[in-house]
Amino acid sequence: MQELKVPDIGDYRNIPVIEVLVCAGEVVAVDQPLVTLESDKATMDVPSVFAGTIREVLLKPGDRVSHGSVIAHLEFDAPASNASASVLAATHTGTAISDAATAFSTPARPQTPKQRTESTASEANAGALLADRSEVTVDRARAGKAAAGPSVRKLARELGVDLSKVAGRGRNARVVREDVLAHVKTTLSKPAQAAAPVEARGTQPDILPWPQVDFAKFGPVERRPLSRIRKISGANLHRNWVMIPHVTNFDQTDVTELEVLRTALNRESKAGAAKVTMLAFLVKACVAALQQFPQFNVSLDGQELVQKRYFHIGFAADTPNGLVVPVIRDADRKGVAAIATEMAELAGLAREGKLTPAQMQGGSMSISSLGGIGGSHFTPIINAPEVAILGVGRASTQPVWNGSAFEPRLILPMSLSWDHRAVDGAEAGRFLAWLATLMADFRRVLL
């Protein structure tokens, strides 16, 4: 039995172990990495100086070691007569350990172009040699995880590769750089549908599976399928909530005078004409706010912002099968009455299920109103690819101090959800404050 120890690593003490590359019962060869250590400057694989079978591993990730710390107990497989050969192999390895320790204690220096070319050529030659070997199946139960060095793990993280799915063809089924690159090439060459799950793992959070419950054992149940609208909107809402960094600002505005105007307009309207709603005023006010703050009238397209020069406002319409969002186009060119009429027509088509896809696309921003149902503030989900959505609750009469006494005022709660990738908090605060000012004194919309 022989102790495998940490070699001289310079003046470093209490170096953390970030990876254990062997386990009990494993046969190791001379120079095979046993553990990976990490300092504040570099990482280092500690190789074995003997060949044999690991009988006990004394370290685990997170342990701290210094020069002379015992890594594992190893039993020689070779006869005693060959022990001297193992010792000679260990002596031969001493230089490699010393060189590794030097690299461990010295920060890596930038390579010259010539050095980078030579390094690339060496990696290519190594990859060619590995490709000639028969593929080795990785025993995941043995190691508990893929055997790979820190640089390979970093490359896998950057490329979104799950190392447990990569077959290693290095020594002892160790995953090397060429294995990761080959795995990516193979995945990209597959049809898009087959590659989708891999892409999803790179963009979705690592969450627990949905609970499987037999609801019938708790009492009577009835199953019915989701409506087509809920299936489509549910998938879109989930994507938007997960992919967009939502932030919601809350405010309220005094719409007492605006409600007086709205009531008067409806009283004077002709029989059969569409009623002017508070939502129609909100659409017009949102147009004015977008003109004042054009950074909200954008969409993200990769690493670019698409600035829109049109003003199309979507509104959430309630239907028996779920919410849909028709879009009022060129709202900046229409008056409040015309907007109210078009809104009534689109809502009717939505309830009948006759909206076309073109009537639900191209919005600058959307409005979700619960005024007819109830409630105050809420957090609406952004309707991608827009970057903002306004949520409106039910207006209520509240006592407001006018400087000398309390007087009843009609207060409208508002919630603005915005995409933090395209908008910052100061801009959102100014946008919502300006919108509240417009609703409190609608004459400003004409300016």
Side-chain angles (χ1 to χ4, degrees):
M1 195 71 69
Q2 177 68 40
E3 290 183 341
L4 298 177
K5 298 181 180 181
V6 175
D8 184 4
I9 52 178
D11 295 332
Y12 285 83
R13 298 290 184 273
N14 296 323
I15 301 301
V17 178
I18 62 172
E19 190 174 7
V20 177
L21 306 175
V22 294
C23 61
E26 179 178 343
V27 178
V28 298
V30 175
D31 287 345
Q32 179 175 333
L34 303 173
V35 295
T36 301
L37 310 182
E38 182 179 48
S39 74
D40 56 349
K41 297 180 180 179
T43 59
M44 176 186 118
D45 286 344
V46 177
S48 175
V49 295
F50 299 103
T53 302
I54 299 293
R55 291 307 178 196
E56 182 182 11
V57 178
L58 304 179
L59 297 179
K60 62 182 182 301
D63 289 348
R64 292 182 174 272
V65 298
S66 302
H67 177 210
S69 298
V70 180
I71 300 172
H73 291 152
L74 177 138
E75 181 179 353
F76 292 115
D77 290 339
S81 59
N82 293 335
S84 57
S86 298
V87 174
L88 289 175
T91 304
H92 176 72
T93 311
T95 303
I97 294 177
S98 177
D99 293 342
T102 301
F104 184 59
S105 59
T106 305
R109 296 181 180 178
Q111 291 181 318
T112 64
K114 181 179 179 180
Q115 290 172 328
R116 284 196 296 270
T117 303
E118 293 173 351
S119 175
T120 304
S122 299
E123 290 180 0
N125 293 335
L129 292 174
L130 287 171
D132 293 337
R133 299 180 183 178
S134 58
E135 184 171 339
V136 180
T137 303
V138 179
D139 184 5
R140 301 303 176 200
R142 175 187 61 80
K145 56 183 178 180
S151 61
V152 175
R153 291 187 180 280
K154 180 180 179 182
L155 175 64
R157 287 195 300 269
E158 292 174 348
L159 298 179
V161 174
D162 182 0
L163 283 177
S164 66
K165 304 298 182 183
V166 181
R169 293 190 286 184
R171 182 183 288 118
N172 195 36
R174 187 172 177 82
V175 178
V176 296
R177 177 185 177 87
E178 289 72 20
D179 296 329
V180 176
L181 297 178
H183 179 81
V184 172
K185 184 177 180 180
T186 302
T187 301
L188 292 178
S189 65
K190 293 179 181 179
Q193 185 175 2
V198 176
E199 181 180 355
R201 284 197 298 273
T203 57
Q204 297 291 336
D206 186 12
I207 58 177
L208 294 174
W210 194 261
Q212 300 297 317
V213 180
D214 180 11
F215 298 99
K217 71 180 182 180
F218 303 113
V221 297
E222 176 187 355
R223 291 183 176 272
R224 58 180 183 273
L226 284 171
S227 67
R228 176 176 171 274
I229 290 179
R230 291 193 187 277
K231 287 180 181 179
I232 297 174
S233 62
N236 287 331
L237 290 171
H238 179 261
R239 176 204 61 201
N240 296 348
W241 182 253
V242 170
M243 299 298 293
I244 298 175
H246 281 67
V247 183
T248 305
N249 287 23
F250 304 100
D251 204 346
Q252 55 188 22
T253 181
D254 188 337
V255 292
T256 306
E257 278 75 21
L258 191 58
E259 176 64 14
V260 172
L261 173 61
R262 188 190 70 83
T263 303
L265 290 175
N266 287 334
R267 207 169 35 241
E268 296 168 3
S269 63
K270 298 179 181 179
K275 297 294 184 180
V276 176
T277 62
M278 189 62 70
L279 186 56
F281 285 106
L282 280 165
V283 169
K284 197 65 178 176
C286 283
V287 170
L290 289 175
Q291 292 171 334
Q292 182 72 17
F293 301 93
Q295 60 267 38
F296 279 82
N297 195 14
V298 301
S299 284
L300 281 167
D301 186 9
Q303 298 299 315
E304 295 182 337
L305 280 176
V306 179
Q307 182 68 60
K308 303 169 186 175
R309 304 299 181 187
Y310 52 82
F311 298 90
H312 306 336
I313 307 298
F315 68 97
D318 191 15
T319 74
N321 294 321
L323 291 175
V324 294
V325 185
V327 176
I328 299 175
R329 300 188 176 277
D330 300 318
D332 57 319
R333 305 177 188 175
K334 299 172 183 176
V336 174
I339 291 174
T341 300
E342 184 174 350
M343 192 177 297
E345 294 172 354
L346 290 173
L349 291 174
R351 287 189 292 270
E352 297 171 3
K354 297 181 179 180
L355 279 177
T356 65
Q359 292 173 312
M360 296 183 286
Q361 297 175 348
S364 298
M365 69 174 293
S366 298
I367 304 174
S368 179
S369 174
L370 296 179
I373 301 174
S376 55
H377 297 93
F378 61 101
T379 305
I381 299 177
I382 297 170
N383 186 23
E386 301 164 13
V387 299
I389 181 172
L390 180 69
V392 184
R394 171 179 285 181
S396 60
T397 301
Q398 301 178 18
V400 177
W401 182 256
N402 62 12
S404 59
F406 284 100
E407 61 177 329
R409 306 293 292 180
L410 187 64
I411 304 300
L412 180 71
M414 299 188 298
S415 309
L416 179 71
S417 290
W418 44 278
D419 187 339
H420 212 327
R421 297 173 300 176
V423 184
D424 62 39
E427 293 171 336
R430 295 187 188 100
F431 181 93
L432 191 56
W434 179 248
L435 188 61
T437 301
L438 294 178
M439 294 297 290
D441 186 358
F442 207 74
R443 294 172 298 179
R444 295 176 180 271
V445 175
L446 303 175
L447 299 179

Short mmCIF file of all heavy atoms in Angstrom, two decimals, residues 277-319:
data_model
loop_
_atom_site.label_atom_id
_atom_site.label_comp_id
_atom_site.label_asym_id
_atom_site.label_seq_id
_atom_site.Cartn_x
_atom_site.Cartn_y
_atom_site.Cartn_z
N THR A 277 -64.85 55.15 -23.62
CA THR A 277 -64.43 54.54 -22.36
C THR A 277 -63.14 55.21 -21.87
O THR A 277 -62.44 55.91 -22.62
CB THR A 277 -64.17 53.04 -22.55
OG1 THR A 277 -63.11 52.86 -23.49
CG2 THR A 277 -65.42 52.34 -23.06
N MET A 278 -62.83 54.96 -20.60
CA MET A 278 -61.58 55.48 -20.06
C MET A 278 -60.39 54.86 -20.79
O MET A 278 -59.33 55.49 -20.93
CB MET A 278 -61.51 55.18 -18.57
CG MET A 278 -60.36 55.85 -17.84
SD MET A 278 -60.44 57.66 -17.87
CE MET A 278 -61.85 57.95 -16.78
N LEU A 279 -60.56 53.64 -21.30
CA LEU A 279 -59.49 52.97 -22.03
C LEU A 279 -59.14 53.71 -23.31
O LEU A 279 -57.98 53.75 -23.72
CB LEU A 279 -59.89 51.52 -22.33
CG LEU A 279 -58.83 50.62 -22.95
CD1 LEU A 279 -57.58 50.58 -22.08
CD2 LEU A 279 -59.39 49.22 -23.17
N ALA A 280 -60.16 54.30 -23.96
CA ALA A 280 -59.89 55.08 -25.19
C ALA A 280 -59.02 56.28 -24.88
O ALA A 280 -58.10 56.63 -25.64
CB ALA A 280 -61.20 55.51 -25.82
N PHE A 281 -59.28 56.95 -23.75
CA PHE A 281 -58.41 58.07 -23.34
C PHE A 281 -57.00 57.57 -23.03
O PHE A 281 -56.01 58.25 -23.33
CB PHE A 281 -59.01 58.76 -22.11
CG PHE A 281 -60.20 59.62 -22.41
CD1 PHE A 281 -61.48 59.21 -22.06
CD2 PHE A 281 -60.04 60.85 -23.03
CE1 PHE A 281 -62.57 60.01 -22.32
CE2 PHE A 281 -61.14 61.66 -23.30
CZ PHE A 281 -62.41 61.23 -22.95
N LEU A 282 -56.90 56.39 -22.42
CA LEU A 282 -55.59 55.84 -22.09
C LEU A 282 -54.77 55.54 -23.35
O LEU A 282 -53.55 55.75 -23.37
CB LEU A 282 -55.74 54.57 -21.26
CG LEU A 282 -56.03 54.77 -19.77
CD1 LEU A 282 -56.51 53.47 -19.14
CD2 LEU A 282 -54.78 55.26 -19.04
N VAL A 283 -55.44 55.04 -24.39
CA VAL A 283 -54.73 54.78 -25.64
C VAL A 283 -54.13 56.06 -26.19
O VAL A 283 -52.95 56.11 -26.59
CB VAL A 283 -55.68 54.14 -26.68
CG1 VAL A 283 -55.03 54.11 -28.06
CG2 VAL A 283 -56.08 52.73 -26.25
N LYS A 284 -54.92 57.12 -26.20
CA LYS A 284 -54.44 58.41 -26.72
C LYS A 284 -53.33 58.97 -25.83
O LYS A 284 -52.35 59.54 -26.34
CB LYS A 284 -55.60 59.39 -26.79
CG LYS A 284 -55.33 60.60 -27.67
CD LYS A 284 -55.15 60.20 -29.12
CE LYS A 284 -54.92 61.42 -30.01
NZ LYS A 284 -54.66 61.05 -31.41
N ALA A 285 -53.46 58.80 -24.52
CA ALA A 285 -52.42 59.28 -23.61
C ALA A 285 -51.13 58.49 -23.79
O ALA A 285 -50.02 59.06 -23.71
CB ALA A 285 -52.91 59.19 -22.17
N CYS A 286 -51.22 57.18 -24.03
CA CYS A 286 -50.02 56.36 -24.24
C CYS A 286 -49.28 56.79 -25.51
O CYS A 286 -48.04 56.80 -25.55
CB CYS A 286 -50.39 54.89 -24.32
SG CYS A 286 -50.74 54.12 -22.72
N VAL A 287 -50.04 57.16 -26.55
CA VAL A 287 -49.40 57.67 -27.77
C VAL A 287 -48.60 58.92 -27.47
O VAL A 287 -47.44 59.07 -27.89
CB VAL A 287 -50.46 57.94 -28.85
CG1 VAL A 287 -49.83 58.70 -30.02
CG2 VAL A 287 -51.09 56.65 -29.34
N ALA A 288 -49.21 59.86 -26.72
CA ALA A 288 -48.51 61.09 -26.37
C ALA A 288 -47.27 60.80 -25.52
O ALA A 288 -46.22 61.44 -25.68
CB ALA A 288 -49.45 62.03 -25.63
N ALA A 289 -47.36 59.82 -24.62
CA ALA A 289 -46.21 59.47 -23.78
C ALA A 289 -45.11 58.82 -24.61
O ALA A 289 -43.92 59.06 -24.39
CB ALA A 289 -46.65 58.54 -22.65
N LEU A 290 -45.49 57.99 -25.59
CA LEU A 290 -44.48 57.38 -26.46
C LEU A 290 -43.78 58.44 -27.32
O LEU A 290 -42.59 58.32 -27.62
CB LEU A 290 -45.13 56.33 -27.37
CG LEU A 290 -45.58 55.04 -26.70
CD1 LEU A 290 -46.32 54.15 -27.69
CD2 LEU A 290 -44.40 54.27 -26.11
N GLN A 291 -44.52 59.46 -27.73
CA GLN A 291 -43.90 60.53 -28.49
C GLN A 291 -42.94 61.34 -27.63
O GLN A 291 -41.90 61.81 -28.11
CB GLN A 291 -45.00 61.44 -29.08
CG GLN A 291 -45.83 60.77 -30.15
CD GLN A 291 -47.03 61.59 -30.57
OE1 GLN A 291 -47.56 62.41 -29.80
NE2 GLN A 291 -47.50 61.39 -31.80
N GLN A 292 -43.27 61.49 -26.36
CA GLN A 292 -42.40 62.21 -25.43
C GLN A 292 -41.18 61.38 -25.04
O GLN A 292 -40.08 61.91 -24.84
CB GLN A 292 -43.20 62.60 -24.19
CG GLN A 292 -42.43 63.40 -23.16
CD GLN A 292 -42.17 64.83 -23.60
OE1 GLN A 292 -42.82 65.32 -24.53
NE2 GLN A 292 -41.24 65.51 -22.95
N PHE A 293 -41.37 60.04 -24.94
CA PHE A 293 -40.29 59.13 -24.54
C PHE A 293 -40.16 58.02 -25.58
O PHE A 293 -40.64 56.90 -25.39
CB PHE A 293 -40.58 58.52 -23.16
CG PHE A 293 -40.73 59.53 -22.06
CD1 PHE A 293 -41.97 60.03 -21.71
CD2 PHE A 293 -39.60 60.00 -21.39
CE1 PHE A 293 -42.10 60.97 -20.70
CE2 PHE A 293 -39.72 60.93 -20.38
CZ PHE A 293 -40.97 61.43 -20.03
N PRO A 294 -39.53 58.33 -26.72
CA PRO A 294 -39.45 57.35 -27.82
C PRO A 294 -38.68 56.09 -27.48
O PRO A 294 -38.79 55.09 -28.19
CB PRO A 294 -38.75 58.15 -28.94
CG PRO A 294 -38.03 59.25 -28.24
CD PRO A 294 -38.88 59.61 -27.06
N GLN A 295 -37.90 56.09 -26.38
CA GLN A 295 -37.16 54.88 -26.02
C GLN A 295 -38.08 53.75 -25.61
O GLN A 295 -37.64 52.60 -25.50
CB GLN A 295 -36.16 55.18 -24.89
CG GLN A 295 -36.76 55.70 -23.60
CD GLN A 295 -36.78 57.22 -23.53
OE1 GLN A 295 -37.02 57.89 -24.53
NE2 GLN A 295 -36.51 57.77 -22.36
N PHE A 296 -39.37 54.04 -25.39
CA PHE A 296 -40.34 52.99 -25.09
C PHE A 296 -40.96 52.41 -26.35
O PHE A 296 -41.57 51.36 -26.29
CB PHE A 296 -41.44 53.52 -24.16
CG PHE A 296 -41.03 53.56 -22.72
CD1 PHE A 296 -40.29 54.62 -22.23
CD2 PHE A 296 -41.37 52.54 -21.85
CE1 PHE A 296 -39.90 54.66 -20.91
CE2 PHE A 296 -40.98 52.58 -20.53
CZ PHE A 296 -40.24 53.64 -20.05
N ASN A 297 -40.82 53.13 -27.45
CA ASN A 297 -41.42 52.67 -28.71
C ASN A 297 -40.36 51.92 -29.52
O ASN A 297 -40.04 52.27 -30.66
CB ASN A 297 -41.95 53.86 -29.51
CG ASN A 297 -42.89 53.42 -30.62
OD1 ASN A 297 -43.35 52.27 -30.67
ND2 ASN A 297 -43.18 54.33 -31.53
N VAL A 298 -39.79 50.87 -28.90
CA VAL A 298 -38.73 50.10 -29.53
C VAL A 298 -39.00 48.61 -29.34
O VAL A 298 -39.88 48.22 -28.57
CB VAL A 298 -37.34 50.45 -28.93
CG1 VAL A 298 -37.03 51.93 -29.10
CG2 VAL A 298 -37.27 50.04 -27.46
N SER A 299 -38.20 47.81 -30.03
CA SER A 299 -38.18 46.36 -29.82
C SER A 299 -36.74 45.90 -29.93
O SER A 299 -35.93 46.49 -30.66
CB SER A 299 -39.04 45.62 -30.85
OG SER A 299 -40.42 45.75 -30.55
N LEU A 300 -36.41 44.84 -29.18
CA LEU A 300 -35.07 44.26 -29.24
C LEU A 300 -35.00 43.25 -30.37
O LEU A 300 -35.88 42.40 -30.52
CB LEU A 300 -34.74 43.57 -27.91
CG LEU A 300 -34.31 44.46 -26.75
CD1 LEU A 300 -34.35 43.68 -25.45
CD2 LEU A 300 -32.92 45.02 -26.99
N ASP A 301 -33.94 43.35 -31.18
CA ASP A 301 -33.69 42.39 -32.24
C ASP A 301 -32.24 41.97 -32.15
O ASP A 301 -31.36 42.62 -32.71
CB ASP A 301 -33.99 43.01 -33.60
CG ASP A 301 -33.89 41.99 -34.73
OD1 ASP A 301 -33.76 40.78 -34.42
OD2 ASP A 301 -33.94 42.38 -35.92
N GLY A 302 -31.96 40.92 -31.38
CA GLY A 302 -30.59 40.51 -31.14
C GLY A 302 -29.89 41.54 -30.28
O GLY A 302 -30.32 41.87 -29.18
N GLN A 303 -28.80 42.10 -30.79
CA GLN A 303 -28.04 43.11 -30.08
C GLN A 303 -28.39 44.53 -30.57
O GLN A 303 -27.65 45.47 -30.29
CB GLN A 303 -26.54 42.86 -30.27
CG GLN A 303 -26.07 41.53 -29.71
CD GLN A 303 -26.30 41.42 -28.21
OE1 GLN A 303 -26.01 42.35 -27.46
NE2 GLN A 303 -26.83 40.29 -27.76
N GLU A 304 -29.50 44.67 -31.24
CA GLU A 304 -29.90 45.97 -31.77
C GLU A 304 -31.28 46.37 -31.24
O GLU A 304 -32.12 45.51 -30.94
CB GLU A 304 -29.93 45.97 -33.30
CG GLU A 304 -28.57 45.77 -33.94
CD GLU A 304 -28.64 45.80 -35.46
OE1 GLU A 304 -29.73 45.54 -36.01
OE2 GLU A 304 -27.61 46.08 -36.08
N LEU A 305 -31.51 47.67 -31.16
CA LEU A 305 -32.82 48.22 -30.84
C LEU A 305 -33.48 48.72 -32.13
O LEU A 305 -32.86 49.46 -32.89
CB LEU A 305 -32.70 49.38 -29.85
CG LEU A 305 -32.52 49.04 -28.38
CD1 LEU A 305 -32.32 50.31 -27.57
CD2 LEU A 305 -33.70 48.27 -27.84
N VAL A 306 -34.70 48.29 -32.36
CA VAL A 306 -35.47 48.75 -33.52
C VAL A 306 -36.37 49.90 -33.06
O VAL A 306 -37.31 49.69 -32.29
CB VAL A 306 -36.30 47.60 -34.11
CG1 VAL A 306 -37.11 48.10 -35.30
CG2 VAL A 306 -35.40 46.44 -34.51
N GLN A 307 -36.07 51.10 -33.52
CA GLN A 307 -36.88 52.27 -33.17
C GLN A 307 -38.07 52.36 -34.12
O GLN A 307 -37.91 52.44 -35.34
CB GLN A 307 -36.04 53.55 -33.27
CG GLN A 307 -36.80 54.81 -32.89
CD GLN A 307 -37.14 54.85 -31.41
OE1 GLN A 307 -36.25 54.80 -30.56
NE2 GLN A 307 -38.42 54.92 -31.10
N LYS A 308 -39.27 52.35 -33.55
CA LYS A 308 -40.48 52.39 -34.37
C LYS A 308 -40.92 53.84 -34.57
O LYS A 308 -40.90 54.64 -33.63
CB LYS A 308 -41.60 51.59 -33.69
CG LYS A 308 -41.21 50.15 -33.42
CD LYS A 308 -42.22 49.46 -32.51
CE LYS A 308 -41.73 48.06 -32.14
NZ LYS A 308 -42.62 47.40 -31.16
N ARG A 309 -41.32 54.13 -35.78
CA ARG A 309 -41.82 55.47 -36.12
C ARG A 309 -43.34 55.49 -36.25
O ARG A 309 -43.91 56.47 -36.68
CB ARG A 309 -41.18 55.94 -37.43
CG ARG A 309 -39.66 55.95 -37.41
CD ARG A 309 -39.11 56.87 -36.35
NE ARG A 309 -37.64 56.89 -36.35
CZ ARG A 309 -36.90 57.50 -35.44
NH1 ARG A 309 -37.49 58.12 -34.41
NH2 ARG A 309 -35.59 57.47 -35.52
N TYR A 310 -43.97 54.40 -35.90
CA TYR A 310 -45.42 54.32 -35.92
C TYR A 310 -45.90 54.15 -34.48
O TYR A 310 -45.13 53.84 -33.56
CB TYR A 310 -45.90 53.15 -36.79
CG TYR A 310 -45.25 51.83 -36.45
CD1 TYR A 310 -45.71 51.03 -35.39
CD2 TYR A 310 -44.18 51.35 -37.20
CE1 TYR A 310 -45.11 49.82 -35.08
CE2 TYR A 310 -43.58 50.14 -36.90
CZ TYR A 310 -44.04 49.38 -35.85
OH TYR A 310 -43.45 48.18 -35.55
N PHE A 311 -47.22 54.33 -34.28
CA PHE A 311 -47.80 54.28 -32.94
C PHE A 311 -49.05 53.40 -32.99
O PHE A 311 -50.16 53.87 -33.24
CB PHE A 311 -48.13 55.69 -32.43
CG PHE A 311 -46.93 56.57 -32.32
CD1 PHE A 311 -46.52 57.35 -33.40
CD2 PHE A 311 -46.18 56.61 -31.16
CE1 PHE A 311 -45.41 58.16 -33.32
CE2 PHE A 311 -45.05 57.41 -31.07
CZ PHE A 311 -44.66 58.19 -32.16
N HIS A 312 -48.83 52.11 -32.78
CA HIS A 312 -49.91 51.13 -32.74
C HIS A 312 -50.05 50.65 -31.30
O HIS A 312 -49.08 50.17 -30.71
CB HIS A 312 -49.62 49.94 -33.65
CG HIS A 312 -49.30 50.31 -35.08
ND1 HIS A 312 -49.72 51.48 -35.65
CD2 HIS A 312 -48.58 49.64 -36.03
CE1 HIS A 312 -49.31 51.53 -36.91
NE2 HIS A 312 -48.61 50.44 -37.17
N ILE A 313 -51.25 50.74 -30.75
CA ILE A 313 -51.47 50.39 -29.34
C ILE A 313 -52.36 49.16 -29.24
O ILE A 313 -53.47 49.13 -29.77
CB ILE A 313 -52.11 51.56 -28.56
CG1 ILE A 313 -51.30 52.85 -28.76
CG2 ILE A 313 -52.23 51.21 -27.09
CD1 ILE A 313 -49.89 52.78 -28.24
N GLY A 314 -51.89 48.14 -28.52
CA GLY A 314 -52.68 46.95 -28.30
C GLY A 314 -53.46 47.05 -26.98
O GLY A 314 -53.05 47.75 -26.06
N PHE A 315 -54.58 46.37 -26.92
CA PHE A 315 -55.36 46.34 -25.68
C PHE A 315 -55.88 44.93 -25.45
O PHE A 315 -56.25 44.22 -26.38
CB PHE A 315 -56.52 47.35 -25.73
CG PHE A 315 -57.60 47.01 -26.72
CD1 PHE A 315 -58.76 46.35 -26.32
CD2 PHE A 315 -57.47 47.35 -28.07
CE1 PHE A 315 -59.75 46.03 -27.22
CE2 PHE A 315 -58.46 47.03 -28.98
CZ PHE A 315 -59.61 46.37 -28.57
N ALA A 316 -55.87 44.49 -24.19
CA ALA A 316 -56.32 43.14 -23.86
C ALA A 316 -57.84 43.08 -23.89
O ALA A 316 -58.52 43.86 -23.23
CB ALA A 316 -55.81 42.75 -22.47
N ALA A 317 -58.38 42.17 -24.71
CA ALA A 317 -59.82 41.99 -24.83
C ALA A 317 -60.21 40.66 -24.22
O ALA A 317 -59.62 39.61 -24.53
CB ALA A 317 -60.24 42.05 -26.30
N ASP A 318 -61.22 40.68 -23.34
CA ASP A 318 -61.67 39.48 -22.66
C ASP A 318 -62.66 38.73 -23.54
O ASP A 318 -63.63 39.31 -24.06
CB ASP A 318 -62.35 39.88 -21.34
CG ASP A 318 -62.62 38.67 -20.45
OD1 ASP A 318 -62.05 37.61 -20.72
OD2 ASP A 318 -63.38 38.81 -19.49
N THR A 319 -62.42 37.44 -23.76
CA THR A 319 -63.32 36.60 -24.55
C THR A 319 -63.66 35.35 -23.75
O THR A 319 -62.98 35.03 -22.76
CB THR A 319 -62.66 36.19 -25.89
OG1 THR A 319 -61.66 35.20 -25.64
CG2 THR A 319 -62.01 37.39 -26.57
#
